[in-house]
Amino acid sequence: MSTIEQQPDNPLVEGLERLPVAPTSLVIFGATGDLARRKLLPALYNLAHEGALPERFNLVGVSRKEKERDDYRAECEEAIRAFSRRSPDEEVLAGLLEHVKYVPGTFDDESVYRELARVLDGFDEHTGEKLNRAFYLSTAPEFFPVIVEALGAQGLDRAEDAEVRVIIEKPFGTSLAEAAELNRSVLDVFEESQVFRIDHYLGKETVQNMLAFRFANGMFEPLWNRNYIDNIQITAAEDIGIGSRAGYYDHSGALRDLIQNHMLQLLCHVAMEPPVNFTAEEVRNEKVKVLRAIHAPSAAEVPQMAVRAQYGPGHAGGEDVAGYLEEEGVREGSITETFAALRLEVDNWRWAGVPFYLRAGKRLARKITEIAITLKPVPHLAFSAEGSLGIRPNQLVLTLQPNEGVSLQLGAKIPGTRMIIRPVNMEFLYGTSFLSQSPEAYERLIMDAMRGDPTLFTRNDEVEAQWEICDPIVSAWAATPGPLPQYQAGSQGPSEANEILVEGHSWRAI
Amino acid sequence: MPATSDAVWSAQDTTPDAIEAALRELLVARHAENGGYAPARALNMIAFVDRAWSGEIANRLRGVGRYHASRLIVLSYEPSREHLDARATVASEGDPRPGELSLLRETVIVEIGKRHLDDLLTIADPLVVSDLLTLLWSPHGHHEVVRELLPLVQAVLLDSVDEPEPREAIAQARALLEDAYVVDLAWLRTTPWRERLATAFDPAEMRRQLHTLTSVTIHHHPESAISAMLLIGWLASRLGWRLNPLVAHEGTLTGKASGRRQDIELRLLATPQQQVRGLAGLELETASGLRLRLDRGPGGLHAHRRDAKGNERAWTMLGASRGEAGILGEGIRQALLRDPTFAPALAAAGEIVP
């Protein structure tokens, strides 16, 4: 008969804000890339500055570029100085860089992984204990399966007496078939519990706050259903163009870049049922239920529920700006959308019949990410509408950026002798009510991955459920020749977006 | 760092109502100036300071980084003063651009005299923002003032190191805990050490060793014995030790705790070389012969471990020093949080104080 030894709780962790993280060696594939320079390295420095990194921590950069370890360290230092949210402490920075190594080579080269294994074993030997290993795939997506397979082939997917985890950046596939194939490749090598698929929106405090807002306040949940809610609009608008990202963006587009992942996650946070508890599996189970309740359109249905467009020339920030097709690096005659809008329905008891409108675009009037929940109008307005200034149904707006907050639009009487009503806003701004600043999403996500907490990462079935919704749209659009409708840069987006609205609905002004 | 801009009001021989009205008007004026100005509403803080040292306190508060109270009420005390004079400032982080937000923080300095001490509550009460947590800080002592203002506040910030006698410091903090949450900077100085001990003993095999500790030695700044006692108190309360008073001998405090399996030798040593308040080093030994030593050093805590077989390892646990300004800022931030381990640690520290 076997006995299971109960591991005692650590009595020293109670009350601490920073929980222990096991000693870890982190390997970044794509270590010289833009994400590593702008986000990952500064995040690691800030964690070190705050004393939040594991007590034993090593970093290995892997990239195709041939260079010496000292040159790579110098690049790390330069990136941290340029992009860290705080000025580096010289001693901490030096301490961090001391534990940085570099392995050059192509990702399909077996010798790279042999060298990597040697470096990681060396860390273990030097430390005198088996360190956890985390492999961060910050490369172009076509290398994800190549790296994962090579890690497995070299036996780097497991380690005796230590945890091994793989962190995979977006995009997780560019279609349902690709995502499913990538899942198969990854899960051929790793267990799902070892896999951490990044959707950096989930690392944002603002997104996590949505769950607190819904489930820590009793006043909203009774209204949070088809009986009281008329429609929900989720907007992710940017005022900038594609900048220097044409190489990526022109093969991606607004649907893949924002809607398939980030915006569907926002939808899940709005529409999910309260989980039994906030463990990773319970939260993700509830999100998957929402995604599975969304009807995936047929090819014939796509034009009725999805709209795409490209920005044309216009004005932004007081300057003339080029249209998408004139941007450097964009393919001639490209039919990649810079604006996408969808109307989705969540076919379950709570949400049946409530349209969820999603729109994302570049070069729109301003930068804003928000969720607007419009309640149904009151059944009978006892006041004469005459003279009232646009009485509207109540609207609850959760703003994620730039000013995180919640506003509730109410009807209120204009001071005076007559009962004239106009909408007013009751506003709450997160920035006014907390002393602490939100940490960068990547700081939180890197820590959670090293700690083995998958709550803020996307599960395999979640990714595939997201693609099941978007894949028919991608396919239908790919089969439809251009040119795409154009909208003026700096505008509210294309007028065609109105075509998917249910009668009586309108888009909120951006 | 964005430029700040201030709106200022001042008056002599004024009243709390007039000050409060002036604050409201300043806020309305600033909002009218730019709709992007929004008053911060996180925390009230009342600082009761001796006027002669108010400049030093102002400098300390300026150094707290982003952890400014949203409304700071400084009661500047000069015994001979007869009238209330006041100066209110509504400062913004900068001028917000369209669609942006700029926080407004309010500072009120009220000059008061001895004759006002009996009415302090009625002076301070109209000045705090309703429904916000209020933190009280009296860095120059004045325990009677703290007691007078307790009905108005939910948290008290103190630094037990400021009390000459640890026994008095512990008694003072325990008394305050009956009416308010206490944030003790002496406790916060132990945070990195507590975090690192929790980490070091987190692996399963190390957790078992926690209950086999045989000795704890703490090196501390000569004025910071209280921080060392709080750390011992924390270990004792978390690990279920029974404690006895320490004995002073040639600058060292020594004593014994009783654990579940064995006694634990305790030693607190003052380290004159330590320049800043807080702890300088920490050493733990277990029955198996494991020894873990942590020392304050550049870039973080330097760790040295010798295992039962005599194998030795040394490394640095990275982390930047927060400095005294950072500790004060952390104290302000902690007023909005609750650390359930402080009160038991304080109670346990009370058992070892000589």
Side-chain angles (χ1 to χ4, degrees):
Chain A
M1 192 177 85
S2 65
T3 57
I4 298 171
E5 191 182 356
Q6 192 74 30
Q7 182 171 307
D9 286 339
N10 181 349
L12 302 185
V13 299
E14 187 176 347
L16 296 179
E17 282 188 76
R18 272 189 282 275
L19 298 174
V21 189
T24 300
S25 293
L26 176 69
V27 180
I28 300 179
F29 288 91
T32 56
D34 212 37
L35 180 71
R37 290 181 65 249
R38 288 176 178 273
K39 295 289 182 187
L40 304 184
L41 291 167
L44 289 170
Y45 170 76
N46 281 300
L47 292 169
H49 186 105
E50 290 168 2
L53 277 185
E55 60 171 304
R56 313 300 294 273
F57 178 79
N58 304 291
L59 175 65
V60 187
V62 182
S63 184
R64 283 171 292 180
K65 293 175 186 162
E66 200 66 43
K67 64 183 72 182
E68 294 298 317
R69 174 193 180 188
D70 285 346
D71 294 334
Y72 180 62
R73 280 183 186 171
E75 283 180 22
C76 291
E77 181 177 345
E78 186 191 7
I80 289 165
R81 290 191 190 283
F83 299 113
S84 167
R85 65 185 167 93
R86 54 159 67 93
S87 298
D89 174 292
E90 296 303 325
E91 303 283 358
V92 174
L93 181 56
L96 179 66
L97 295 173
E98 194 181 320
H99 296 278
V100 171
K101 295 210 172 186
Y102 184 71
V103 176
T106 56
F107 301 133
D108 58 354
D109 181 351
E110 277 182 27
S111 68
V112 169
Y113 297 87
R114 283 197 296 274
E115 174 62 8
L116 183 57
R118 194 188 64 76
V119 169
L120 293 172
D121 289 344
F123 284 143
D124 291 357
E125 196 176 325
H126 177 75
T127 310
E129 61 183 292
K130 292 285 188 184
L131 304 180
N132 284 353
R133 293 172 180 183
F135 299 105
Y136 198 120
L137 277 48
S138 169
T139 65
E142 60 263 33
F143 295 115
F144 295 165
V146 176
I147 296 168
V148 165
E149 192 181 330
L151 288 170
Q154 291 298 322
L156 286 165
D157 57 316
R158 302 277 184 281
E160 201 176 333
D161 298 329
E163 300 289 340
V164 179
R165 299 181 177 112
V166 61
I167 304 156
I168 303 177
E169 260 298 334
K170 79 162 200 177
F172 200 87
T174 59
S175 66
L176 175 60
E178 261 188 38
E181 179 56 33
L182 182 53
N183 264 335
R184 268 193 297 279
S185 302
V186 171
L187 297 175
D188 275 350
V189 176
F190 292 94
E191 303 287 334
E192 176 61 29
S193 61
Q194 294 177 280
V195 183
F196 295 76
R197 297 172 191 81
I198 291 258
D199 182 329
H200 73 268
Y201 256 49
L202 296 180
K204 288 178 183 283
E205 285 283 324
T206 50
V207 176
Q208 295 164 50
N209 267 331
M210 288 172 61
L211 297 182
F213 177 79
R214 279 193 61 197
F215 301 128
N217 298 291
M219 66 186 290
F220 298 111
E221 207 52 25
L223 308 176
W224 215 260
N225 56 59
R226 65 189 302 277
N227 297 328
Y228 295 94
I229 291 178
D230 184 70
N231 72 88
I232 293 175
Q233 290 187 17
I234 306 178
T235 300
E238 292 180 278
D239 53 354
I240 56 171
I242 56 165
S244 59
R245 295 174 70 216
Y248 160 73
Y249 197 88
D250 202 39
H251 291 90
S252 174
L255 184 71
R256 288 185 173 109
D257 189 45
L258 276 171
I259 293 181
Q260 179 272 332
N261 35 57
H262 307 322
M263 296 185 72
L264 283 178
Q265 284 291 335
L266 295 183
L267 186 155
C268 287
H269 280 71
V270 173
M272 67 191 269
E273 295 299 317
V276 174
N277 55 48
F278 280 89
T279 58
E281 289 316 298
E282 291 297 340
V283 171
R284 298 195 295 183
N285 286 344
E286 293 304 335
K287 287 196 291 177
V288 169
K289 282 184 202 167
V290 172
L291 293 167
R292 288 187 178 147
I294 296 174
H295 168 68
S298 66
E301 288 170 326
V302 168
Q304 279 83 55
M305 53 75 68
V307 164
R308 60 178 169 160
Q310 281 174 341
Y311 62 81
H315 310 282
E319 293 185 0
D320 292 345
V321 294
Y324 179 69
L325 293 174
E326 289 81 51
E327 296 274 20
E328 194 178 330
V330 171
R331 292 166 296 175
E332 193 178 340
S334 168
I335 57 165
T336 299
E337 77 284 358
T338 62
F339 176 97
L342 311 184
R343 187 189 70 242
L344 300 174
E345 292 198 3
V346 180
D347 296 329
N348 62 18
W349 193 278
R350 187 191 282 261
W351 294 114
V354 177
F356 285 73
Y357 299 112
L358 278 59
R359 67 179 160 166
K362 289 192 173 292
R363 279 274 186 248
L364 293 169
R366 68 188 174 111
K367 176 186 174 72
I368 190 161
T369 305
E370 67 170 26
I371 299 164
I373 295 140
T374 304
L375 274 70
K376 290 187 170 168
V378 292
H380 170 64
L381 200 60
F383 318 107
S384 163
E386 191 183 345
S388 291
L389 304 174
I391 298 177
R392 291 197 288 262
N394 299 126
Q395 208 165 46
L396 181 69
V397 182
L398 311 178
T399 306
L400 280 77
Q401 56 184 10
N403 295 323
E404 182 192 6
V406 181
S407 87
L408 180 60
Q409 199 172 75
L410 306 162
K413 178 183 171 297
I414 298 173
T417 54
R418 297 179 61 196
M419 185 59 96
I420 304 175
I421 313 292
R422 81 167 173 87
V424 294
N425 279 353
M426 190 161 78
E427 295 212 47
F428 162 68
L429 296 162
Y430 275 97
T432 64
S433 298
F434 297 98
L435 296 179
S436 309
Q437 280 181 332
S438 299
E440 281 284 315
Y442 277 99
E443 293 172 29
R444 172 73 193 266
L445 293 172
I446 290 170
M447 283 305 289
D448 281 4
M450 287 197 291
R451 197 181 287 126
D453 180 349
T455 310
L456 302 182
F457 297 85
T458 321
R459 205 167 58 189
N460 57 342
D461 52 347
E462 210 173 343
V463 170
E464 291 184 27
Q466 289 172 344
W467 271 118
E468 277 169 19
I469 298 161
C470 291
D471 206 46
I473 305 167
V474 171
S475 302
W477 283 355
T480 311
L484 301 192
Q486 303 271 304
Y487 59 97
Q488 192 181 359
S491 71
Q492 295 285 320
S495 58
E496 286 82 354
N498 295 330
E499 292 167 9
I500 62 169
L501 296 171
V502 169
E503 191 177 347
H505 290 170
S506 59
W507 290 106
R508 265 173 64 80
I510 290 171
Chain B
M1 179 113 177
T4 61
S5 65
D6 296 350
V8 181
W9 168 93
S10 65
Q12 293 185 323
D13 197 6
T14 185
T15 65
D17 283 349
I19 301 168
E20 195 274 336
L23 274 169
R24 264 188 287 118
E25 283 170 21
L26 284 175
L27 285 169
V28 169
R30 297 232 70 180
H31 190 70
E33 191 185 319
N34 188 324
Y37 286 131
R41 285 294 175 257
L43 178 73
N44 295 307
M45 181 172 177
I46 300 172
F48 186 91
V49 303
D50 287 336
R51 189 169 192 273
W53 302 101
S54 60
E56 183 231 337
I57 296 302
N59 280 338
R60 287 182 68 184
L61 286 169
R62 266 194 287 273
V64 300
R66 59 181 179 268
Y67 300 134
H68 287 280
S70 33
R71 179 172 287 184
L72 172 64
I73 299 147
V74 180
L75 301 174
S76 177
Y77 176 57
E78 186 180 33
S80 60
R81 176 169 291 278
E82 289 294 316
H83 302 293
L84 287 185
D85 292 349
R87 177 185 169 87
T89 308
V90 176
S92 72
E93 293 171 333
D95 296 326
R97 290 182 299 184
E100 285 185 348
L101 173 72
S102 182
L103 287 184
L104 298 175
R105 292 196 177 86
E106 302 125 49
T107 302
V108 188
I109 300 171
V110 187
E111 309 280 357
I112 60 169
K114 190 169 184 179
R115 65 177 291 264
H116 301 111
L117 291 185
D118 288 342
D119 299 317
L120 265 189
L121 209 53
T122 58
I123 293 171
D125 198 343
L127 302 183
V128 299
V129 180
S130 302
D131 296 328
L132 278 192
L133 188 141
T134 300
L135 172 69
L136 171 62
W137 184 40
S138 178
H140 301 133
H142 300 289
H143 298 325
E144 73 291 351
V145 167
V146 173
R147 278 192 294 277
E148 171 76 15
L149 289 174
L150 268 181
L152 185 59
V153 308
Q154 291 76 45
V156 177
L157 178 68
L158 52 80
D159 190 349
S160 287
V161 172
D162 288 336
E163 289 288 338
E165 291 298 325
R167 178 176 293 280
E168 287 302 311
I170 291 171
Q172 168 74 1
R174 291 189 75 179
L176 290 172
L177 267 175
E178 291 178 12
D179 296 300
Y181 181 64
V182 172
V183 180
D184 188 346
L185 301 185
W187 169 250
L188 297 185
R189 290 189 192 93
T190 69
T191 303
W193 305 84
R194 287 183 283 121
E195 286 177 346
R196 290 315 191 178
L197 283 179
T199 300
F201 286 93
D202 196 53
E205 72 281 6
M206 290 293 285
R207 288 186 201 184
R208 290 182 206 104
Q209 302 234 27
L210 263 180
H211 293 288
T212 70
L213 285 173
T214 55
S215 80
V216 178
T217 302
I218 301 177
H219 302 261
H220 59 84
H221 181 272
E223 293 174 2
S224 294
I226 184 68
S227 287
M229 289 177 193
L230 287 168
L231 188 65
I232 295 282
W234 172 70
L235 282 170
S237 58
R238 302 309 309 152
L239 300 176
W241 296 347
R242 291 189 307 280
L243 295 167
N244 298 302
L246 301 173
V247 176
H249 179 66
E250 293 181 354
T252 302
L253 293 169
T254 58
K256 217 167 249 187
S258 303
R260 283 187 221 162
R261 299 176 194 167
Q262 70 282 309
D263 288 348
I264 302 102
E265 301 281 347
L266 306 175
R267 286 200 310 159
L268 277 58
L269 292 97
T271 306
Q273 301 90 324
Q274 166 97 352
Q275 300 291 311
V276 292
R277 289 174 163 185
L279 306 184
L282 170 66
E283 191 171 326
L284 293 90
E285 289 188 40
T286 70
S288 68
L290 175 97
R291 191 178 70 192
L292 175 68
R293 184 181 170 107
L294 305 178
D295 289 296
R296 177 191 287 266
L301 297 184
H302 293 186
H304 181 275
R305 186 166 67 193
R306 188 194 67 196
D307 65 20
K309 294 175 185 162
N311 299 317
E312 299 195 30
R313 305 276 175 189
W315 68 97
T316 299
M317 300 167 159
L318 296 176
S321 169
R322 293 171 293 176
E324 278 299 295
I327 296 281
L328 179 58
E330 182 63 14
I332 295 170
R333 188 180 79 91
Q334 288 285 332
L336 293 168
L337 306 173
R338 291 294 176 267
D339 180 349
T341 63
F342 172 66
L346 182 70
E351 293 171 31
I352 57 170
V353 67

